Amino acid sequence: MPRPPLLRTKPLSTNRRRTILKAGGTLLLSVFAPLSASAAQILAVRVWPAEDYTRVTLENDGDLKATHFMVPDPPRLVVDIDGLALNDTLKSLVAKIESNDPYIKQVRVGQNRPNVVRLVFDLKEAVKPQVFTLEPVAGYRHRLIFDLYPMKPADPLAALIQERDWTTGDAAPQSQSGAPEAIGKLETQAAGANGTPPAAPVKPTPAPAEPRMACCNMPKVTRMVTIALDPGHGGEDPGATGASGVHEKDIVLAVARRLKAKLEGHPNTRVMLTRDADYFVPLGTRVDKARKVQADLFVSIHADAFVERSARGSSVFVLSEKGASSSAARWLANDQNKADLIGGVNLANHDRQLASVLLDLSTTAQISDSLKLGSAVLKEIGGINRLHRGAVEQAGFAVLKAPDIPSILVETAFISNPEEEARLKDDAYQDQLADAITKGIKRYFAANPPMAKSRMA
């Protein structure tokens, strides 16, 4: 059978082939471009575990919408994120969950359906989740936040009491120098005047006596003194960053830990840290924690940064009701008050009214006592570092607004100054700072002994 004739085609010209290929490529782009444009990209994932709560942050290049629900027995948090494509950065979240996380056992990540990613948090216990978004601020892009809180919020006072076996007797631990001090023990120098003998003989010390917490015209009072130390920033809020890359949040936490150990080396003194690890604490929560433990003092610790690297020196600030004492103090207060924006506060649960009430309730007496405390601490710090200004400054720092607690903010040094940054990183200098602040607090109590409280833990 004869074969049918072959169909011969004329070869395409080079220009015609280019036209067809270009048209085909345009068609493919038109089909897939809407899909790729609608999918946000995860830029970074971070996990901040702490006893107070665990925070998980997804930083992305666009605003994300998420829904979530809890599944009991075993407890799980399920989160569906719309408009998101699974990528390696998001997958890395699995490896970021640490075994010591108080609330998260593990996390599973998967593409639940097109443009929807599902996260499943396997939990160690039931939690109260808060899921919210944050607008771009500072160096951050859009953030999707998961805060996992315990069902029963932590009680700062209960935690403080359980931390150790507190004692109110003279057998309490001695300070590192060996000199017996009783920061919280008020003892009249003439106890025999009212017929009450002293509880125990006082042994003379060979070294010159440091300021004691005593008042000549008061009856003997023995009680615990509680000091709240507030290491600034933390977690999503790094604070200022030095030229070498060291963060303010890490420096001030190290100083606060040293200061806590030194203060607790004295009898009748206990110390609460508003944060004891690298996590974010809102400004109002820091104040609230101090009030819940009935703190006698509140000391917030920071490290300055300024646009000019030549700026240097230590400072102490207290609250002002009438405006800042200088333009620099005003600038610094405004900068520090941005912590909630950078650290990330859930505005749905943020009590703005409470914050304004705290300022309204701040009394002249509180500010007066704060100035006395600040002057005592500033004098001691001046012995180890140059002072940026020779007097205590005032400005509207949100973290100093406890109406009933003398409160100061210590700027230890300028982390933006290379020389001072190097000192702040040095263990010996951190120890000197802690010593100086301790001596300042003792000096303050020597002249302003704490009164007996009707409420005692």
Side-chain angles (χ1 to χ4, degrees), residues 141-388:
R141 301 286 293 276
H142 292 271
R143 285 176 287 173
L144 177 61
I145 304 289
F146 312 107
D147 285 346
L148 309 183
Y149 289 89
M151 297 299 291
K152 184 179 180 182
D155 183 346
L157 183 56
L160 186 61
I161 294 172
Q162 293 173 3
E163 183 178 331
R164 55 184 282 193
D165 293 330
W166 301 102
T167 177
T168 56
D170 288 333
Q174 303 290 316
S175 67
Q176 293 181 0
S177 65
E181 295 290 337
I183 292 183
K185 185 175 181 181
L186 311 183
E187 197 169 36
T188 176
Q189 294 179 350
N194 59 7
T196 304
V202 179
K203 296 180 181 180
T205 57
E210 296 184 19
R212 292 182 58 83
M213 311 311 163
C215 180
C216 300
N217 299 319
M218 291 182 60
K220 178 179 176 179
V221 179
T222 300
R223 72 167 177 87
M224 296 299 300
V225 166
T226 302
I227 300 172
L229 299 182
D230 175 49
H233 310 283
E236 290 287 289
D237 176 20
T241 301
S244 70
V246 65
H247 295 312
E248 177 183 4
K249 66 176 182 178
D250 299 321
I251 293 294
V252 298
L253 179 58
V255 172
R257 285 171 172 167
R258 292 176 184 273
L259 179 55
K260 181 178 189 291
K262 291 181 182 294
L263 289 170
E264 288 181 345
H266 303 293
N268 308 313
T269 306
R270 62 187 180 188
V271 178
M272 179 207 70
L273 295 178
T274 59
R275 69 175 180 94
D276 56 4
D278 187 11
Y279 64 98
F280 172 69
V281 181
L283 298 174
T285 302
R286 296 169 187 263
V287 176
D288 188 52
K289 282 187 172 186
R291 301 189 76 199
K292 283 183 176 178
V293 300
Q294 303 172 33
D296 295 283
L297 298 179
F298 180 91
V299 180
S300 192
I301 304 172
H302 292 258
D304 269 343
F306 198 63
V307 291
E308 296 179 5
R309 299 176 67 187
S310 59
R312 61 180 300 167
S314 303
S315 305
V316 176
F317 296 84
V318 304
L319 185 66
S320 171
E321 288 182 305
K322 301 178 181 179
S325 56
S326 69
S327 58
R330 183 183 304 106
W331 179 89
L332 182 61
N334 291 336
D335 187 61
Q336 296 289 3
N337 291 345
K338 295 176 184 176
D340 280 354
L341 295 176
I342 299 171
V345 171
N346 185 2
L347 293 179
N349 289 13
H350 189 48
D351 195 338
R352 295 179 180 273
Q353 183 178 2
L354 174 61
S356 63
V357 168
L358 286 176
L359 176 60
D360 295 339
L361 290 176
S362 296
T363 63
T364 302
Q366 185 263 16
I367 293 177
S368 175
D369 287 340
S370 299
L371 285 167
K372 294 175 184 176
L373 171 62
S375 296
V377 170
L378 188 69
K379 182 174 182 179
E380 296 296 337
I381 291 179
I384 66 164
N385 192 33
R386 172 181 174 177
L387 297 180
H388 187 62

Side-chain angles (χ1 to χ4, degrees), residues 211 213 376 379-380 438-448:
M213 311 311 163
K379 182 174 182 179
E380 296 296 337
T438 298
K439 290 177 181 178
I441 290 173
K442 288 160 58 179
R443 180 185 296 275
Y444 167 78
F445 274 131
N448 306 273

Side-chain angles (χ1 to χ4, degrees), residues 26-38:
T26 303
L27 177 61
L28 288 172
L29 286 175
S30 66
V31 170
F32 290 102
L35 177 61
S36 60
S38 64

